[in-house]
Amino acid sequence: MNLTFSHEEQAFRAQVRRFLADALPGDIRKRVRLGRHLRADDHLRWQNILSAQGWLAANWPTEHGGPGWGPVERHIFDEECAAAHAPTVVPFGVNMVAPVIMKFGSPEQQQHYLPRILNNQDWWCQGYSEPGAGSDLAGLNTRAVHEGDHYIVNGQKTWTTLGQHANMLFCLVRTNPDAKKQAGISFLLIDMQSPGITVRPIITLDGAHEVNEVFLDNVRVPVENRVGEEGQGWTCAKFLLTHERTGIAGLGHAKQALLHLKSLASRIEHRGKPLLALPSFRLRVVKAELELMALEVTNLRVIAAARDGGAPGAESSLLKVRGSELRQELSELTRRALGPAALPFFPDFLHGDASLDDVHAQSASASAQYFNRRKLSIYGGANEIQKSIVAKTILEM
Ligand SMILES: Cc1cc2nc3c(=O)[nH]c(=O)nc-3n(C[C@H](O)[C@H](O)[C@H](O)COP(=O)(O)OP(=O)(O)OC[C@H]3O[C@@H](n4cnc5c(N)ncnc54)[C@H](O)[C@@H]3O)c2cc1C
């Protein structure tokens, strides 16, 4: 089934485009366009603007203060944001823990946390993975012992994205080591200022400080910070993961990356001709473009089914695998197009405000982005795991 946009949906797209043209600060737009690392303040400033517009919580129902958009509006919004070089909304509060609190949280938790997320007052991070528990998440070992009206938490989380800015952590902990793996897990909301929490940076290949290790050493967490019943954490965890994978194909970003690549390859010369005219290079660009078109149609089919009341299932795994492979291929081609010019590493440009002329600015982030994109096939459930899901549920193997 193909999706054609109604007049209302087209008008909505125009409204979003106008808003982005007026409201997205030029310096933030430029940082995103040039692939520079965003600072906490860049995220906060943009998210405050979205919050004031009532558009921060794009996936929330109106009863909790969201805009009440359906899947088509959300798709249009994401696409326009990527085209305008707007920062991606930090997902851990608004897109991940919020749906869990709405579904499993107590009325008190809903009244306390949801408005704070909507108003951008808390910065959440995700404490799922551990050194020995990634794909096999249910093997996690962080231990929480119930003592009076507190849990005493000990353990280590890893790959905690942007945890250095966060004041809240949603965390999977083992409350019953004797129960079956999944049955002994609970879901806790932990204040990052609690004594006993240490955050250590992990610097990734692109030189960025995006992920962290989080150590929990006798951290006292009030029992009222548990979401759902003790031992029900796995249900919350799985529910959250379906939200984590939504939109993970990154189609808007892939479109921008393709446009950028084509523009570069038509300006860069190879033996007196534009690189884009070189058959071997052109073939890879054309293949990537065809992949992108196919992925977009698949994505629109999934959205059309959701508009008609269907829920995306294993299709989201399919979109994740193809979308991440495509974005990796586009970053590889961009690096190849720039050749040796992509080699220099300019940390002052990537992290700070140092300026570069336009030619160097184009190249400065190419390798960093190439390295950064390696993560796409790992996080949100590694691609090998997604392929197994597709094999089992779609191909019935
Ligand atoms: C940049 C980045 C940010 C992240 N942010 C967060 C975060 O904020 N919070 C958080 O909790 N986690 C985060 N993660 C962790 C992420 O969810 C895990 O890395 C991911 O689940 C894979 O787990 P792992 O790294 O332990 O790899 P492993 O599970 O050890 O897997 C290693 C390799 O073996 C393969 N493999 C494992 N099991 C199977 C199997 N059964 N069949 C076939 N192949 C298999 C995997 O596909 C992978 O290629 C982040 C990761 C990255 C890279």
Side-chain angles (χ1 to χ4, degrees):
M1 185 194 333
N2 244 328
L3 185 123
T4 44
F5 293 103
S6 66
H7 286 305
E8 290 78 20
E9 286 159 354
Q10 287 171 33
F12 175 72
R13 188 185 287 281
Q15 186 194 0
V16 173
R17 204 170 279 181
R18 266 196 313 276
F19 164 74
L20 288 162
D22 294 343
L24 177 59
D27 61 319
I28 297 182
R29 184 193 297 269
K30 192 168 175 195
R31 285 192 85 78
V32 174
R33 186 173 60 79
L34 294 178
R36 296 175 114 167
H37 300 148
L38 293 180
R39 296 166 290 213
D41 178 61
D42 296 325
H43 286 290
L44 285 173
R45 253 194 310 150
W46 176 232
Q47 292 190 187
N48 281 333
I49 292 169
L50 284 177
S51 181
Q53 173 75 6
W55 288 359
L56 177 65
N59 59 332
W60 288 24
T62 42
E63 64 188 280
H64 289 296
W69 292 340
V72 181
E73 283 89 355
R74 291 204 295 272
H75 167 74
I76 290 173
F77 182 68
D78 287 348
E79 208 172 52
E80 290 301 320
C81 284
H85 303 290
T88 308
V89 168
V90 178
F92 305 106
V94 80
N95 295 335
M96 292 195 196
V97 77
V100 171
I101 293 175
M102 283 176 206
K103 187 156 175 77
F104 302 101
S106 65
E108 292 75 26
Q109 287 170 340
Q110 294 182 356
Q111 277 154 25
H112 178 72
Y113 292 111
L114 295 179
R116 293 180 63 84
I117 294 174
L118 203 57
N119 298 324
N120 221 15
Q121 284 166 280
D122 289 325
W123 188 310
W124 286 86
C125 61
Q126 178 183 27
Y128 272 31
S129 306
E130 297 182 5
S135 302
D136 179 23
L137 185 58
L140 60 94
N141 278 316
T142 293
R143 184 82 170 90
V145 178
H146 198 149
E147 267 185 32
D149 52 5
H150 280 78
Y151 287 103
I152 312 298
V153 182
N154 280 287
Q156 182 192 345
K157 294 292 170 180
T158 192
W159 307 121
T160 318
T161 301
L162 301 180
Q164 72 271 33
H165 306 311
N167 66 317
M168 290 300 295
L169 166 78
F170 57 88
C171 194
L172 293 179
V173 295
R174 186 162 299 288
T175 36
N176 183 354
D178 302 323
K180 192 180 146 232
K181 276 205 296 195
Q182 285 83 350
I185 293 172
S186 299
F187 193 102
L188 296 185
L189 310 177
I190 303 182
D191 184 338
M192 291 288 279
Q193 308 304 319
S194 313
I197 295 190
T198 310
V199 179
R200 272 199 217 145
I202 300 174
I203 304 300
T204 42
L205 280 171
D206 56 342
H209 177 192
E210 190 174 293
V211 284
N212 301 272
E213 296 177 291
V214 176
F215 296 86
L216 301 115
D217 184 14
N218 285 322
V219 178
R220 290 174 66 79
V221 182
V223 169
E224 69 209 32
N225 283 23
R226 190 190 65 226
V227 179
E229 296 301 315
E230 191 172 289
Q232 205 199 356
W234 191 246
T235 310
C236 301
K238 280 193 306 185
F239 177 76
L240 184 144
L241 285 176
T242 61
H243 286 265
E244 183 173 354
R245 282 180 205 133
T246 311
I248 208 160
L251 267 167
H253 296 289
K255 276 188 185 176
Q256 289 317 304
L258 178 69
L259 279 176
H260 178 56
L261 170 66
K262 284 167 86 172
S263 140
L264 271 182
S266 53
R267 281 180 285 137
I268 292 172
E269 292 213 342
H270 177 80
R271 295 190 183 151
K273 286 187 183 163
L275 180 62
L276 202 54
L278 183 73
S280 56
F281 194 83
R282 189 175 182 80
L283 183 65
R284 279 182 75 175
V285 176
V286 168
K287 270 174 131 174
E289 186 156 9
L290 287 172
E291 279 285 343
L292 178 58
M293 286 163 72
L295 190 66
E296 188 168 19
V297 172
T298 307
N299 193 43
L300 291 175
R301 274 172 39 213
V302 171
I303 290 171
R307 184 167 68 177
D308 298 339
E315 291 86 354
S316 62
S317 297
L318 223 147
L319 289 170
K320 198 257 161 172
V321 172
R322 302 305 276 181
S324 55
E325 287 173 350
L326 177 62
R327 289 180 67 194
Q328 288 178 343
E329 168 72 353
L330 289 168
S331 70
E332 153 84 11
L333 287 173
T334 303
R335 202 175 53 94
R336 277 180 179 265
L338 287 162
L343 282 177
F345 180 54
F346 298 100
D348 292 345
F349 172 78
L350 289 173
H351 307 312
D353 288 316
S355 61
L356 284 174
D357 63 55
D358 211 43
V359 176
H360 285 97
Q362 300 275 355
S363 329
S365 61
S367 287
Q369 293 210 5
Y370 167 79
F371 286 126
N372 187 276
R373 298 295 177 263
R374 303 299 96 198
K375 72 185 177 190
L376 298 177
S377 47
I378 303 171
Y379 71 7
N383 278 14
E384 291 79 5
I385 303 295
Q386 304 305 322
K387 285 179 184 170
S388 292
I389 296 174
V390 171
K392 272 189 208 137
T393 51
I394 300 183
L395 304 175
E396 296 181 1
M397 287 164 76

